[in-house]
Amino acid sequence: MARRPDLVGLTVLAMLSVRPAHPYELHRFIVDTHKDYVTGLPRSLYHAVEKLAGQELIVPVETSRQGRRPERTIYEITDEGRRELATRLRALLESPQGERRTFTAAVSLMGVLPVPDALQSLRTRAASLEGELAGLNAHLEALRTSGLPEVLTVELDYERTLSEAELGWIRGLIARLESGELTWSGTVNQGLLAEVLDEQESES
């Protein structure tokens, strides 16, 4: 049985690739930006931070206390953490084998990749989906030719319809990236993301 991708850890790495932050800021950002694929908050977030720190993908850089509030530890991503983030994210963007929620998470965070890398990963996914659809169409045609009642294959038709819709959406996204209609600077739209995190820090 394949391991489920660690979407919470992936999100923590992505957020810390923008700037150092403490877990409460990350929690607020996830909630405020409706990253609904992240479940089990806040426990899952703190567990992910602890695990990533144990793997030395992130490191604590400062501990602060404001008034009577509990101490807050600020973490930053390491060079190894950045490499791991890019590797994990490209894999999730490229493979159509996982849950659709996983692809939602990958698309949500793809701004941490350079545009050419994100574009290449999306092209790889599109090619995989095209191959899967060709095989599925051939399989459905063979079943129908065999005289199997259509009611016994409706679930395959449903899967085909979902895959066709996803492929159409990805092709549109690729076209927007290729034309420059959708783009970002460097490896992430750091200005926007950092601004949101800074607002949260001033409110907390």
Side-chain angles (χ1 to χ4, degrees):
M1 183 176 177
R3 284 181 57 189
R4 283 188 164 187
D6 179 10
L7 300 184
V8 185
L10 183 74
T11 304
V12 170
L13 289 174
M15 297 304 98
L16 292 182
S17 74
V18 176
R19 73 162 176 78
H22 53 71
Y24 179 73
E25 287 180 282
L26 301 176
H27 183 192
R28 284 280 308 277
F29 180 84
I30 289 169
V31 172
D32 292 349
T33 55
H34 301 285
K35 306 294 185 190
D36 295 331
Y37 58 83
V38 177
T39 59
L41 293 171
R43 179 178 298 179
S44 63
L45 175 65
Y46 284 91
H47 176 72
V49 167
E50 182 179 342
K51 181 178 178 182
L52 292 169
Q55 296 170 333
E56 298 185 348
L57 300 178
I58 64 175
V59 291
V61 291
E62 180 184 340
T63 300
S64 63
R65 182 195 297 270
Q66 292 184 352
R68 305 173 72 177
R69 293 176 178 172
E71 284 189 345
R72 289 179 176 174
T73 301
I74 295 174
Y75 292 87
E76 71 177 9
I77 192 170
T78 63
D79 289 342
E80 180 62 28
R82 291 183 186 278
R83 288 190 288 271
E84 181 68 14
L85 168 62
T87 297
R88 290 187 192 182
L89 189 52
R90 284 197 298 264
L92 295 184
L93 284 171
E94 290 172 5
S95 174
Q97 301 301 321
E99 299 176 357
R100 296 189 188 279
R101 181 174 73 104
T102 300
F103 183 54
T104 299
V107 170
S108 172
L109 301 173
M110 72 176 180
V112 303
L113 295 174
V115 174
D117 287 7
L119 188 52
Q120 181 57 46
S121 293
L122 290 169
R123 287 172 177 152
T124 298
R125 188 183 188 91
S128 295
L129 282 170
E130 288 167 356
E132 285 186 7
L133 278 167
L136 186 54
N137 283 330
H139 183 49
L140 275 168
E141 183 60 30
L143 290 175
R144 287 169 181 164
T145 301
S146 71
L148 192 69
E150 187 175 353
V151 69
L152 299 179
T153 64
V154 289
E155 78 281 6
L156 295 177
D157 187 54
Y158 170 68
E159 289 297 328
R160 177 177 63 179
T161 300
L162 291 179
S163 294
E164 286 174 341
E166 180 181 318
L167 178 58
W169 185 84
I170 290 173
R171 284 172 172 166
L173 183 59
I174 289 172
R176 294 178 67 197
L177 288 168
E178 289 177 335
S179 69
E181 176 189 345
L182 175 64
T183 190
W184 52 88
S185 300
T187 57
V188 71
N189 190 341
Q190 294 190 0
L192 175 61
L193 196 50
E195 183 179 328
V196 173
L197 287 171
D198 288 339
E199 281 184 9
Q200 292 173 346
E201 175 65 16
S202 64
E203 293 171 3
S204 62

